Each structure stands twice: as C-alpha cells, then as structure tokens.
Amino acid sequence: MTTGLWKRSAWELAGMVARGECSALEVVDDHLHRISEVNPSVNAVTNVLADSAREAARAVDRRRASGEALGPLAGVPFTTKENLDVAGSATTHGVPALRHAVAPLDAPVVQRLREAGAIPLARTNLPDLSLRMHTRSQLHGDTVNPWDPSLSPGGSSGGEGVALATGMSPLGLGNDAGGSVRLPALLGGVAALKPSYGRFPGDRSIGPRDLTLSSQLIPVDGPLARTVADLRVACHVLAGPDPRDPRVVPAPLEGPPLARPLRVAVTADPGGLGVHPDVRAAVELAAAALRDAGYVVEEVDVPRLAETVDTYGHMIMTEFSLSWPMLERLLAPDGRRYIELAMALRGPVDLAEYVRLTSVRQGLQRDWAQFLAHHPLVLGPVFTEPAVPVGYDTRGPEEHARCANALRLCTATSFIGVPAVAVPTHLAGGLPQGVQVIASFYREDLCLDAAAAIEARLGTFAPVDPRS
C-alpha cells in the first residue's frame, strides 16, 4: 500500500489514481487511517463514512480497470460540513433536535463532487446552526486549533479548516456568510474560496420552509483546500445551473480579458479601524508577491465599508429576531449569548427601515462594482486581529465587537456578493497568517490567479501534525 497519500493535494491524488500509481481504495484507506490517528486530538470530524467511502473507491478502481473515462476528481476523498446534505448521513447542524435528520439526497455541491468522481469521506464539526465564530456544537463539542489548542480554530466551517490543516482530507465543503470558510482557512493555514452570489448551486433550507431574504442573498457554499490549484478545480466542478437553485447564474468560468497589468487595491487596515502588525505584515508580503508577478499594487481603501457592515448587520439581525423564539430553544447558552451580543451591536429594525436597507444594498453593490471596474482586485486581511482565545467571541460586548470588527472585510464582501480567495502567507510566532484576494462579480478566475501568484512566491504551510 502507498503511504503518505494524506499529504498530497486533491489534484495530485486525482492524477495518481488516473495513472494507476495508486488505487482509489488506497487513497481512502490512508485518509481513514489519518483520521483515526489525528482526530482524537482535534475533534474536527464528527461522522466517518468509512463503509460507503470504501465502496465508492472500489467502484472508481473498477471503472479505471475497465478503461472507462474517469471524472476530474476520481478517487479524491472530501469532507463535508454537517449543515450540507450527504445522502444517507444526518445533517445535524450540531444540535440535538436534528441528530437523526438523515438526508435523502445530496446537496447540489456534494452531488457535483460525486459526479466528478470524488468520494464523501466524513462529516465535520460546526457551531450550533453555524451561528458563531468559534466551532463548538452541542452534539460534538469543541474543535481544537491544531497550531495552538488555546486558540479558536474559527468558524463556522471550523471542522473543515482543521480537517484540511491536519491532512484528514484534501478537499472540503463549507459555507460562508461573513468569513465562515475564510476565517477557518486563515487560522488553519489553508486556502478557501467564497464564490460570488449565484456561482454555485445551494440548498439552504432547513426542513420544508425556504429561507428569508438575507439568508437567500448572503450565505454561499464554498470549497477549502491546501492549494489554490485544488480550489480552481473545485470551482470548475461546482459552478453552473441546477434546477434546485434558481439563483445560479450561468456565467463563464473565465471572464473577458482585462487590460494588463491588473490594478490591485491594497487595504491592510480596511476603514482605518486598526490592524495587528502580524496581519499588516501578511498583506505587505502578499502585495510584494503580486508586484513581482506583474500586478500594479496601490494602497486604496474599499468604498462605504462602515455602511456596508452596518446594513448587513441590521438586515440579518432583523430576520433573526423574527425567528428568535425558535433559535433560542435550539441553541446552547453560549450560542444564545453570541446572537444576543450581535443583536446588541447592530440590532433589528422596523419594516420601513428594513425595506429602506434593501435599497441601500443595491447602491452599495453599484459602488463596489464601479470601484472594482477600476481596481479589478482587492488585497486585504481576512481578520485584522491575531487568532483569539477559545470563548473570546462570547466573553462580553467589547470582545464580541472586536471580533466582529476584525471580520469587517469578510462581512462586507459577503453582503455585496463578490468572490474572495483566502490564501496563507507565512508563519508568525508559530501561527499561520494570510490574506484574501477579492474580485468583481463572477471573476473567481482573477481571485484564483492572484492567489496562485501569492502561493507560488510564499509557499504552503499544511498539513500540520497537532500531536507534535
């Protein structure tokens, strides 16, 4: 049996399986062994799908042996956050009330990966209902940051970030409504793609009821990986219309050519609200990498940031307030505390103000689109603070506000609906640092190109062994 396959990227594994250098079953078994070794230390994986994964791997190996064409990710195992449906597995959202909510069908993004030959390997942890910055669920407890157990691994796709960072999976699926794939990627030292609104099909409903407006407009499903090349492959597989999601736009994966060299707006301290020196250093390293790759790098801030963040908060909290009696029953005390602090920071508004804010959103999107027409890329931080201690986000109003403020560029880009790629840059004090690259609507290709240039210059930093 080939060993050390868990260290390989998804694209490397797909090539090895296609060329017969290893079997899909060997790939799956090596990752299952890695999970058994590492997961007790980090608690990222919640449900291992060993039997079905091995069965799927054997099917890939039979197709290859018979000379059938294989998909681009044939034999590659992937993990899935426990709020995305995997047929035959419970989509628990981390709460006891949904412990037995076994999905009859795959979510669209899971189905797309399966159709490309990838193999569902395991489910991963998340905060209750994905409503917190730290990954702690009632069903599964805390996920541990593999770089420093005293620090949060981030959320809400924290289980995915840690699974990728520790080699338990080469490819993961999470979702992002304000940094929920980008923050765990940053804190784990891996990469993540938050796609444009309408780029990937999603199924965001819980039960028979569809979600309200903000939850239709803001959250998106997205991949995590250890290399930008893997994100690009996943993007190509996941994109495109699906009858289950009428929001999907059939935009081309490669947009029209733009005048070169591309201009990059660099904002190390978005809105001028403060940034930690280690975070600023990450942005400066990435800016230098892009400059050396031929980009024109200019220090320019993004438009109307404070208004964008405020509008996001008021719209979301207004909708949360309407469902609060239900949410309050489902959430644990720390989850309730997180939402209560968020409502105190940017509270619900009345109907007239909510309707006005929907108009404000369109104006914000227009101003961002015009800004990105002049600067096709924005380079900035994922989180303007260093990694925070476990529990910091619910310690009190000041600590919560500090976390929300640190995520301001993630919040704004989720609300506007533009794509972003989080990519690591270096280690500082033994902890991974990184940045995000943002582009205009449906220009994931530009984000991925720039992130690849940063990665080529600065390298990759995972997988890491949390036991060492």
Side-chain angles (χ1 to χ4, degrees), residues 22 101 412:
C22 66

Side-chain angles (χ1 to χ4, degrees), residues 22-113:
C22 66
S23 69
L25 183 59
E26 286 178 311
V27 174
V28 165
D29 279 342
D30 205 44
H31 283 86
L32 289 172
H33 181 68
R34 180 65 177 172
I35 290 172
S36 70
E37 284 192 323
V38 171
N39 196 56
S41 300
V42 293
N43 193 37
V45 168
T46 58
N47 183 14
V48 181
L49 310 176
D51 291 343
S52 60
R54 288 189 172 112
E55 181 181 348
R58 292 187 185 100
V60 170
D61 292 335
R62 286 194 297 270
R63 288 197 299 272
R64 185 189 178 279
S66 66
E68 294 181 42
L70 300 179
L73 290 172
V76 175
F78 69 95
T79 43
T80 308
K81 186 178 178 181
E82 215 164 81
N83 69 349
L84 287 166
D85 287 345
V86 177
S89 170
T91 304
T92 71
H93 295 264
V95 298
L98 299 174
R99 184 194 302 269
H100 303 298
V102 175
L105 299 171
D106 287 334
V109 287
V110 174
Q111 179 183 334
R112 290 272 166 89
L113 287 183

Side-chain angles (χ1 to χ4, degrees), residues 258 263 265 302-303 366-378 416 418-419 438-441:
L258 299 178
R263 301 164 72 90
V302 295
R366 181 184 301 111
D367 285 354
W368 275 71
Q370 291 174 340
F371 177 82
L372 289 165
H374 186 66
H375 290 89
L377 290 168
V378 175
I416 299 301
V418 291
I438 301 155
S440 193
F441 304 93

Side-chain angles (χ1 to χ4, degrees), residues 8 38 57 81 110 121 125 151 236 277 353 386-387 395 417 443 448:
R8 302 278 189 165
V38 171
K81 186 178 178 181
V110 174
L121 183 73
N125 201 17
L151 302 176
H236 284 216
E353 177 63 5
R395 189 175 295 173
R443 292 313 305 260
L448 291 163

